[in-house]
Amino acid sequence: MDLSVAETASVLRSVIAPFVAQGAIVRRPRATAWAERHQTDRGAREMLAALRDRYDGAPLSMRLGPRRMVVVTRPDQVQRLLQGSPDPYSPASLEKRGALKHFQPDGVLVSGHDERRVRRPLNEAALDADQAVHRSGRTVVDTVERGARELENQVRATGGLDAQQFARTWWSMVLEIVFGERARDDLGLVELLDRLKRDANWSGLHPRRTRRRAELEQRIATHVREAAPDSLAGVGREVDAGAVAGQVPHWLFAFDAAAATTLRALAVATARQEVRERLRDELASADPEGPPAVLPYARACVLEAVRLWPTTFAVLRDSVRDTDWDGRTLPAGTGFVVVSSFFHRDPQRLDVADRFAPEVWLDGRADEDWGLVPFSGGPASCPGRNLVLLVASHLLVRLAGLDLRVQRARYLADDPVPATVDHLGLVFRSRR
Ligand code: HEM
């Protein structure tokens, strides 16, 4: 269905503009605060639901300058795009290539077909994509435990925790998980990457800073050479020493989403006693001597946080050949858009749309639903999913024991939960 100029303008205003304003690659704090004040995800979702109903679930085609973009509105259409990746639906969309070339031109996400054949297995192996607990799980959980202690000291010293204080400890943990203990203080690397990510928010409109990127590559190459064997880079080095450094910028970048999700899950836990208690009980019943525990409830809370507040606003695909949709041939080079917050919270399909309902991840309902894709799905889905769930769940159960209370807890204490939560504005206070 071709949208009219007026309908296209509404989609631009309600769906695309808030997402671009907040920063597709790295969030801009003033814009995320504005998005929360205006609950922008609600507007986006209502606009798409209205168009879905008006056109009976047909894909919505828009012309944006020379580009044709198709917004899908049914889970079977999402399934078709994601299962059909990377051919005929390539994850390396024009917009992603424009943005990610600033700091990860060799990342698998923006790779062509032949490079993907090498880089995807490398990512899967280094991140142990299929394993709930990474082969270096013990080291990962020890790092998380140390991070949790550091945050506890922070709470003791200042009486609370905000997103910025959380970030300092988080990034040390991430550097240790990615490269090993020697790297944990190199927060300068994170700052350098951040600056390039800020350029990436402007996609192709911002010139590339070649010198800065060369510096990033050189620093990462040094860390990879010196990486501990059980770090992610160390494991990746064993698989393909030549290609691993090119994947590291994406790993570091993607831990940003994991931080946002952990903070949001923690915010809900601190606002709801029953969630907090269940998390504490799960940690208490884990065997401290055995291999790192899979914490199903904590993992479900993390998944639920990223369902309710997806960190990838839109999953994008570009067709690499002509494809037929509803009896119509769309030419190669068409862009396809899956707007996560629309699918994740669609009250027409989901009775838990606006509820914090970790149980949907425990009873298999969510996994069967192609509309619930916080980590994407199909052959190009996130290979970091299990690692994220390991890190975030182990941190969450420990922080749940600190007796924190999130400011403005009343918005999260009951359902329905807000459409938009600015994780950068979260502030926690100790109850003690
Ligand atoms: C809450 C945290 C995270 C979320 C919600 C998330 C979500 C996603 C999504 C939706 C995609 C698909 C993007 C697309 O198709 O456009 C993706 C791809 C990817 N993610 Fe994650 N991710 C997270 C963290 C991580 C971490 C920590 C790592 C690595 C350490 C990672 C590694 C990757 C890689 C390598 C890809 C590209 C896969 C490919 O193109 O084949 N992710 N992620």
Side-chain angles (χ1 to χ4, degrees):
M1 172 52 58
D2 284 322
L3 295 187
S4 67
V5 173
E7 288 167 333
T8 302
S10 300
V11 173
L12 279 175
R13 200 175 44 245
S14 305
V15 183
I16 299 178
F19 147 62
V20 172
Q22 288 178 77
I25 301 299
V26 63
R27 302 293 187 259
R28 302 180 174 104
R30 278 214 294 262
T32 53
W34 165 84
E36 183 183 278
R37 273 197 308 281
H38 294 271
Q39 292 290 299
T40 52
D41 292 271
R42 183 178 308 130
R45 197 172 124 187
E46 286 171 357
M47 155 64 50
L48 288 181
L51 290 170
R52 182 256 323 266
D53 295 347
R54 189 176 308 161
Y55 298 116
D56 213 16
L60 307 170
S61 173
M62 306 183 296
R63 275 235 158 262
L64 299 175
R67 188 140 164 81
R68 181 190 297 280
M69 299 291 278
V70 173
V71 181
V72 296
T73 58
R74 288 198 325 244
D76 61 300
Q77 296 160 348
V78 177
Q79 178 176 11
R80 179 171 171 197
L81 289 173
L82 299 185
Q83 280 188 333
S85 302
D87 188 347
Y89 304 110
S90 168
S93 73
L94 189 71
E95 293 73 19
K96 267 185 262 179
R97 279 182 281 135
L100 298 185
K101 70 183 181 192
H102 288 279
F103 65 97
Q104 51 153 310
D106 299 325
V108 61
L109 192 52
V110 288
S111 296
H113 202 255
D114 291 344
E115 295 151 328
R116 169 170 284 276
R117 269 210 282 263
V118 178
R119 292 172 182 167
R120 175 76 199 186
L122 164 60
N123 274 280
E124 286 178 2
L127 305 175
D128 243 351
D130 294 337
Q131 301 301 318
V133 176
H134 191 278
R135 76 190 72 173
S136 305
R138 184 72 273 157
T139 313
V140 170
V141 170
D142 287 348
T143 304
V144 170
E145 220 157 18
R146 178 166 158 186
R149 275 199 303 275
E150 209 174 286
L151 291 170
E152 184 174 356
N153 291 338
Q154 163 80 40
V155 171
R156 281 229 188 86
T158 65
L161 185 68
D162 64 22
Q164 287 65 41
Q165 291 161 335
F166 176 86
R168 275 195 291 279
T169 298
W170 176 263
W171 287 112
S172 294
M173 263 171 38
V174 169
L175 289 164
E176 190 168 340
I177 292 168
V178 174
F179 300 117
E181 196 175 350
R182 281 175 63 162
R184 82 186 308 277
D185 295 326
D186 191 7
L187 293 173
L189 176 67
V190 178
E191 175 49 34
L192 178 60
L193 183 65
D194 253 4
R195 281 196 246 156
L196 290 162
K197 280 167 24 190
R198 285 198 282 273
D199 295 349
N201 272 349
W202 296 98
S203 191
L205 299 177
H206 200 289
R208 270 195 260 184
R209 296 188 210 253
T210 335
R211 271 229 300 272
R212 212 172 259 176
R213 211 185 78 212
E215 188 191 339
L216 179 81
E217 279 170 9
Q218 192 234 317
R219 281 173 85 154
I220 287 180
T222 307
H223 278 306
V224 169
R225 260 197 317 276
E226 296 171 355
D230 60 353
S231 65
L232 302 184
V235 176
R237 197 176 50 200
E238 282 302 301
V239 181
D240 190 337
V244 64
Q247 307 311 306
V248 168
H250 186 93
W251 300 349
L252 293 172
F253 151 71
F255 268 110
D256 217 0
T261 300
T262 309
L263 276 169
R264 289 183 177 126
L266 178 65
V268 176
T270 65
R272 298 186 183 203
Q273 192 180 354
E274 75 282 5
V275 176
R276 206 163 55 243
E277 281 176 0
R278 228 175 128 178
L279 288 169
R280 282 187 210 156
D281 290 349
E282 197 165 49
L283 177 63
S285 55
D287 173 8
E289 307 301 326
V294 179
L295 305 167
Y297 181 71
R299 287 169 88 98
C301 288
V302 175
L303 284 161
E304 189 58 355
V306 77
R307 172 182 76 85
L308 292 165
W309 302 290
T311 53
T312 308
F313 293 122
V315 178
L316 304 177
R317 292 290 181 265
D318 275 8
S319 58
V320 293
R321 60 190 77 250
D322 294 357
T323 55
D324 283 339
W325 286 80
D326 279 5
R328 173 174 175 194
T329 302
L330 296 175
T334 300
F336 291 85
V337 188
V338 178
V339 178
S340 316
S341 57
F342 163 68
F343 281 102
H344 290 191
R345 292 231 202 165
D346 180 5
Q348 223 178 69
R349 289 192 318 107
L350 305 165
D351 53 1
V352 297
D354 290 322
R355 274 172 43 203
F356 183 78
E359 61 273 13
V360 300
W361 299 98
L362 293 168
D363 61 20
R365 257 182 293 170
D367 291 323
E368 281 166 10
D369 187 336
W370 277 94
L372 300 183
V373 284
F375 288 92
S376 183
S381 68
C382 177
R385 184 184 198 263
N386 269 321
L387 178 71
V388 168
L389 296 180
L390 179 71
V391 171
S393 62
H394 274 268
L395 190 58
L396 185 62
V397 288
R398 286 166 175 80
L399 298 185
L402 295 189
D403 249 343
L404 294 167
R405 182 179 165 80
V406 68
Q407 257 180 17
R408 294 176 293 159
R410 68 177 187 282
Y411 296 113
L412 292 166
D414 297 302
D415 298 325
V417 292
T420 306
V421 168
D422 172 20
H423 68 283
L424 296 173
L426 289 173
V427 178
F428 301 88
R429 292 266 144 250
S430 174
R431 290 168 197 266
R432 288 178 191 158

